[in-house]
């Protein structure tokens, strides 16, 4: 074991408590040979002789068959796992950050030595989604994977939706309750979800997608007003990881992987996923729509996924089997955001005077963006520079499907219009079948 923190401690606990049944499932006992940690002085409730601050020696020891990496980070575990694989050890890891950058390198090492690499816990904690994609759905054609794969942001958005509180207040509460980390950037800015999206897209579409290929927006700009608009539309707002296969005009295929907060109809199965829970919806040609739901983080839930992989890796050692390999035969290119067509909800503050609605509509039309709905609400009049009272209104426009480029050009053109005093928010609408 490399690491005995939140997840590692629970893995060792369950491994010890359930030793007999695990041995029966594997056909041989699981024996803990050593645990690499930084702090050797801390009492961890295990035989101190097992602890080491020298992970490199541990991963190459002859009496080790399976290396379980639960340290986190990239630079320290990367050479350790390559070393473990080169010595013929199977590897189990929960490290999405490492996998989303270096799967190629790890997969090459796995192929070179005929070992196994398992990583169920790297995406959505306890929820089995990697296994189903790699094994159960290996005969199907996956078209789309859409998930709520970050519990911290789902907790924040769910709270904002139910209490009406703003983002900063809710983030502070999430930190107080231990959902958000001291530095919440990776979660709230979507980096954690983007790493998971890269892993899901790679497996689902047999191609190589890295975290850097994933378009990413976080949730820090979502406001209580956005939730009010969402409620008016019978929607909620969720941070979605969307991975899908696109068919280009020339008939070729590409993969789109993106993470952003989006309006989602309350009738969509992901809309009901509240609190820190995660869920992933997979759409495939033959299976249709499948949904996986559960706890996406936490020591014990994540340990469940890790131990499932440990059992699989150990069974392979006993029975000379192998894990499903890393398949990238399709080698689909990654599509740019400009190739994506989606619907947008644009909220803006405008001067409430004759001709403004026509002017706004003209900018959408000039850029080829079709309006599906438009709504005007009176807001408190503002006072201009010359102390003249200017009546104001809020305009919300819901578009039909449009390209990212066309929408960005429309927003830029609207911002240049004097009658448009502020573009308050632009949020995509997902989960609707209509154009
Ligand atoms: P954690 O609580 O921070 O524990 C990390 C462990 O690794 C600690 O025992 C630490 O040793 C050890 N460690 C770190 N750097 C080391 C080094 N250079 N040499 C030796 N030991 C080192 O982390 P965690 O929350 O358990 O997460 C572990 C992995 O699981 C991460 O990749 C994370 O992304 C993933 N994951 C976590 C969750 C979750 O809910 N926590 C869910 C899904 C996936 P000390 O104890 O001595 O500090
Ligand atoms: N920080 C992650 C989350 C958990 O909030 O879902 C680990 O993947």
């Amino acid at each position: 074991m490399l690491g005995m923190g939140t997840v590692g401690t629970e893995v060792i606990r369950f491994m010890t408590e359930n030793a007999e049944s695990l041995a029966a499932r594997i056909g041989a006992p699981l024996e803990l040979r050593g645990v690499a940690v930084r702090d050797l002085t801390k009492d961890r409730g295990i035989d101190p002789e097992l602890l080491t601050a020298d992970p490199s020696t541990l991963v190459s020891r002859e009496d080790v068959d399976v290396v379980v990496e639960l340290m986190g980070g990239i630079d320290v575990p990367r050479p350790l796992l390559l070393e473990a694989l080169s010595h013929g050890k199977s590897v189990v890891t929960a490290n999405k950050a490492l996998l989303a950058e270096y799967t190629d390198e790890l997969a090459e090492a796995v192929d070179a030595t005929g070992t196994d690499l398992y990583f169920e816990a790297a995406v959505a904690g306890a929820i089995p989604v990697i296994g189903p994609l790699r094994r159960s759905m290996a005969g199907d054609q996956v078209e789309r994977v859409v998930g709520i794969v970050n519990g911290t942001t789902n907790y924040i958005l769910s709270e904002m939706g139910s209490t009406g509180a703003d983002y900063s207040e809710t983030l502070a509460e999430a930190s107080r309750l231990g959902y958000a980390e001291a530095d919440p950037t990776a979660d709230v800015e979507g980096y954690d979800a983007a790493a998971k999206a890269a892993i899901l897209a790679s497996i689902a579409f047999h191609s190589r997608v890295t975290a850097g290929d994933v378009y990413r927006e976080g949730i820090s700009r979502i406001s209580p007003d956005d939730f009010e608009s969402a409620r008016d539309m019978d929607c909620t707002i969720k941070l979605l990881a969307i991975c899908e296969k696109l068919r280009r005009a020339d008939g070729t295929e590409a993969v789109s992987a993106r993470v952003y907060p989006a309006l989602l109809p309350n009738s969509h199965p992901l809309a009901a996923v509240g609190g820190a829970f995660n869920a992933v919806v997979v759409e495939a040609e033959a299976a249709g729509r499948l949904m996986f739901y559960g706890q996406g983080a936490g020591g014990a839930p994540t340990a469940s996924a890790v131990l499932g992989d440990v059992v699989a890796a150990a069974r392979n050692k006993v029975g000379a089997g192998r894990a499903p390999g890393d398949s990238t035969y399709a080698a689909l290119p990654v599509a740019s955001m400009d190739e994506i067509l989606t619907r947008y909800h644009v909220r803006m503050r405008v001067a409430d005077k004759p001709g403004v609605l026509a002017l706004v509509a003209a900018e959408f039309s000039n850029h080829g963006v079709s309006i599906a709905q438009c709504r005007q609400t009176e807001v408190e009049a503002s006072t201009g520079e010359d102390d003249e009272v200017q009546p104001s209104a809020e305009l919300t426009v819901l578009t039909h499907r449009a390209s990212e480029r066309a929408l960005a050009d429309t927003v830029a053109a609207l911002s240049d219009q004097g009658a448009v005093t502020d573009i308050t928010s632009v949020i995509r609408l997902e989960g609707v079948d209509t154009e």
Side-chain angles (χ1 to χ4, degrees):
M1 292 261 316
L2 307 179
M4 191 179 174
T6 306
V7 182
T9 301
E10 291 301 299
V11 169
I12 292 175
R13 182 166 75 84
F14 287 115
M15 207 175 126
T16 312
E17 286 176 8
N18 302 324
E20 237 173 82
S21 59
L22 291 174
R25 290 172 206 180
I26 292 164
L30 267 185
E31 288 169 8
L32 187 60
R33 295 291 195 216
V35 184
V37 291
R38 275 176 303 213
D39 180 358
L40 292 174
T41 62
K42 194 168 149 191
D43 179 13
R44 298 172 192 263
I46 60 167
D47 178 358
E49 292 284 304
L50 287 169
L51 297 176
T52 173
D54 177 10
S56 180
T57 302
L58 185 58
V59 299
S60 49
R61 255 170 56 178
E62 274 201 7
D63 62 343
V64 167
D65 293 315
V66 180
V67 170
V68 183
E69 187 271 310
L70 298 166
M71 297 171 129
I74 294 180
D75 295 342
V76 177
R78 182 180 163 209
L80 290 171
L81 296 194
L82 290 172
E83 199 177 336
L85 291 166
S86 76
H87 282 89
K89 319 298 181 196
S90 292
V91 165
V92 174
T93 178
N95 192 331
K96 66 230 137 188
L98 177 66
L99 290 162
E101 290 301 337
Y102 292 105
T103 307
D104 270 344
E105 193 180 58
L106 293 167
E108 267 171 38
V110 167
D111 285 344
T113 51
T115 48
D116 284 343
L117 174 65
Y118 283 97
F119 47 90
E120 184 62 69
V123 178
I127 307 172
V129 62
I130 302 296
L133 282 170
R134 272 175 127 189
R135 285 190 300 272
S136 325
M137 302 187 74
D140 210 335
Q141 303 297 320
V142 176
E143 299 292 340
R144 211 160 189 256
V145 181
V146 183
I148 293 171
V149 291
N150 184 269
T152 307
T153 47
N154 201 51
Y155 172 82
I156 294 172
L157 292 174
S158 303
E159 283 296 297
M160 286 177 73
S162 60
T163 64
D166 73 13
Y167 169 75
S168 314
E169 270 176 77
T170 317
L171 172 60
E173 177 70 358
S175 305
R176 204 182 57 73
L177 293 172
Y179 288 116
E181 299 197 19
D183 176 0
T185 313
D187 291 322
V188 299
E189 295 304 339
Y191 291 99
D192 175 79
K196 292 166 181 169
I199 296 169
L200 288 172
S202 298
I203 296 170
F205 305 119
H206 305 276
S207 298
R208 176 63 65 234
V209 181
T210 65
D213 293 325
V214 180
Y215 175 84
R216 178 194 52 76
E217 281 176 28
I219 64 163
S220 53
R221 280 182 299 184
I222 298 296
S223 70
D225 288 345
D226 291 326
F227 273 100
E228 209 174 304
S229 299
R231 272 189 291 277
D232 289 345
M233 297 167 63
D234 199 17
C235 284
T236 186
I237 299 173
K238 294 290 185 191
L239 182 73
L240 298 180
I242 303 173
C243 312
E244 63 186 354
K245 208 188 300 183
L246 299 181
R247 272 174 201 84
R248 289 173 160 158
D250 64 2
T252 61
E253 290 182 335
V255 172
S256 166
R258 47 199 207 267
V259 168
Y260 45 66
L263 290 159
L264 197 65
N266 285 323
S267 56
H268 191 282
L270 290 176
V273 177
F277 278 82
N278 282 197
V280 178
V281 170
V282 180
E283 290 169 21
E285 187 183 8
R289 191 188 257 184
L290 305 172
M291 181 163 169
F292 304 83
Y293 168 87
Q295 297 190 65
T302 309
S304 162
V306 171
L307 273 166
D309 282 352
V310 171
V311 168
R315 276 177 178 156
N316 290 344
K317 289 284 177 192
V318 171
R322 281 201 64 196
D326 179 67
S327 154
T328 53
Y329 75 88
L332 298 182
V334 179
S336 83
M337 272 307 272
D338 284 346
E339 296 179 72
I340 307 306
L341 292 181
T342 190
R343 300 183 64 177
Y344 298 85
H345 182 268
V346 183
R347 207 150 50 80
M348 67 197 100
R349 189 64 71 93
V350 298
D352 193 1
K353 60 185 186 188
V356 172
L357 188 55
L359 179 153
V360 168
E363 288 300 2
F364 279 89
S365 158
N366 291 343
H367 295 91
V369 180
S370 175
I371 293 176
Q373 287 173 28
C374 178
R375 187 172 138 172
Q376 175 167 331
T377 329
E378 262 182 55
V379 292
E380 216 171 285
S382 58
T383 310
E385 279 172 14
D386 49 4
D387 281 346
E388 194 185 324
V389 175
Q390 294 177 344
S392 283
E394 184 177 82
L395 271 187
T396 53
V397 173
L398 179 65
T399 74
H400 287 294
R401 276 189 210 286
S403 76
E404 190 81 9
R405 168 64 31 222
L407 200 279
D409 290 346
T410 307
V411 168
L414 286 168
S415 308
D416 286 344
Q417 292 288 352
V420 178
T421 43
D422 191 22
I423 307 280
T424 331
S425 82
V426 178
I427 306 186
R428 297 169 186 85
L429 170 66
E430 296 288 345
V432 285
D433 294 330
T434 49
E435 288 294 306

